[in-house]
Amino acid sequence: MALYCVLKQKGILTEDDLQSFEQNGTEFFAHAKRNPTKGIEFSGGSLSLGVSFAVGVALACREKQLNNHVYVLLGDGECNEGLVWESIMSAANYGLSNITFIIDRNRMQSDGLVDEVMKIDNLADKMKAFGCEIIELDGHDVDALTKALDINSDKPKAIIANTIKGKGVSFMESVAQWHHANMSETQYQQAIEEVCHGQL
C-alpha cells in the first residue's frame, strides 16, 4: 500500500487506482504485480523476493558504473525465508557497498510473534556474520534513521530498526491482526486523532 501511495503522490497512479486496492478486478494487490506503465517495476510476490531483486539491481548498477544506492525494507519475520540469507550473502560476496537493508524488527509477523513462529535470535550478529555493516537503532527515531542512512561503508549496510507494530495507535500497538486488516471509519478517526495528537 505504501508503494501505491507514493506512486499516487508522484502522479503515476490515480485516486481511482488507489481506491481499487484489493477490490475485485483490481490491478493493485497487497503484493504488487509488475506493471511498468503504472510505476511498478517488479512483482513482489512471496516474501524475500524483494531482497533478491534488490541485490540483482545493486549488482547491475555497479556493473554499469551508476552512482546510485539501493534500499531494501524487510521485516524480521521475513528473515525466516532462506532466500533472504542467500541474497545477503551474495551482496557481501560481490562487495555491494551500494545497498542498504533496513529490517523492521517489531518481533511480529502475520502469524503471531516471531519468537513463537521461528526464532531469530541475535539478528545483528547474523547480519554481521553474513558480511554486513551493522547499525541498530530505535526505528521510531527519524533523526537516528536519517544519520544511519548517511553512513558510508565499503560493504552492504544493515540497519536493524527496533519498532513496535502499530505504534501510536492504542488499539493497534503490538496486535498481530493489524498486520493486514481493514479499519472502520470510527477506528480510522481514532487512529488519526492519536497519531496527530489533535494537530490536524
Side-chain angles (χ1 to χ4, degrees):
M1 188 67 197
L3 170 62
Y4 303 143
C5 289
V6 169
L7 292 173
K8 162 71 168 58
Q9 289 291 336
K10 292 293 185 181
I12 298 169
L13 296 186
T14 66
E15 182 64 28
D16 286 345
D17 290 334
L18 213 56
Q19 293 303 321
S20 75
F21 177 65
E22 292 207 317
Q23 301 297 316
N24 285 339
T26 189
E27 297 179 57
F28 305 102
F29 314 104
H31 292 283
K33 178 184 172 190
R34 185 175 186 272
N35 185 342
T37 63
K38 295 287 188 175
I40 304 166
E41 297 173 332
F42 80 104
S43 295
S46 299
L47 297 178
S48 76
L49 292 180
V51 183
S52 56
F53 180 82
V55 169
V57 169
L59 184 58
C61 289
R62 191 188 66 186
E63 293 299 310
K64 292 181 177 184
Q65 299 182 346
L66 299 176
N67 185 26
N68 64 354
H69 200 91
V70 177
Y71 298 89
V72 188
L73 180 61
L74 64 154
D76 51 352
E78 185 172 2
C79 291
N80 291 160
E81 301 279 350
L83 187 54
V84 167
W85 300 104
E86 289 180 58
S87 301
I88 292 169
M89 188 166 52
S90 294
N93 179 66
Y94 292 112
L96 299 180
S97 59
N98 63 336
I99 193 166
T100 297
F101 304 103
I102 306 165
I103 302 172
D104 178 15
R105 179 83 159 129
N106 63 23
R107 293 176 165 73
M108 299 188 85
Q109 56 185 339
S110 61
D111 297 326
L113 298 174
V114 170
D115 281 353
E116 292 176 1
V117 177
M118 179 72 72
K119 280 188 179 181
I120 310 174
D121 292 330
N122 306 313
L123 186 57
D125 292 343
K126 284 180 171 61
M127 297 296 288
K128 185 175 182 181
F130 272 70
C132 292
E133 179 82 25
I134 306 302
I135 303 160
E136 191 162 2
L137 47 73
D138 174 353
H140 302 291
D141 185 336
V142 176
D143 289 337
L145 276 167
T146 301
K147 288 175 185 172
L149 290 169
D150 286 340
I151 293 172
N152 290 319
S153 177
D154 60 356
K155 52 188 173 182
K157 188 166 55 178
I159 298 172
I160 299 173
N162 293 297
T163 64
I164 297 168
K165 183 184 282 293
K167 183 173 173 62
V169 180
S170 58
F171 60 87
M172 287 184 171
E173 280 197 12
S174 301
V175 178
Q177 80 177 64
W178 288 104
H179 182 85
H180 188 278
N182 294 321
M183 280 189 276
S184 68
E185 182 63 29
T186 301
Q187 289 172 320
Y188 170 76
Q189 293 301 333
Q190 180 182 342
I192 291 296
E193 181 67 24
E194 291 181 10
V195 170
C196 298
H197 309 292
Q199 298 298 310
L200 288 178

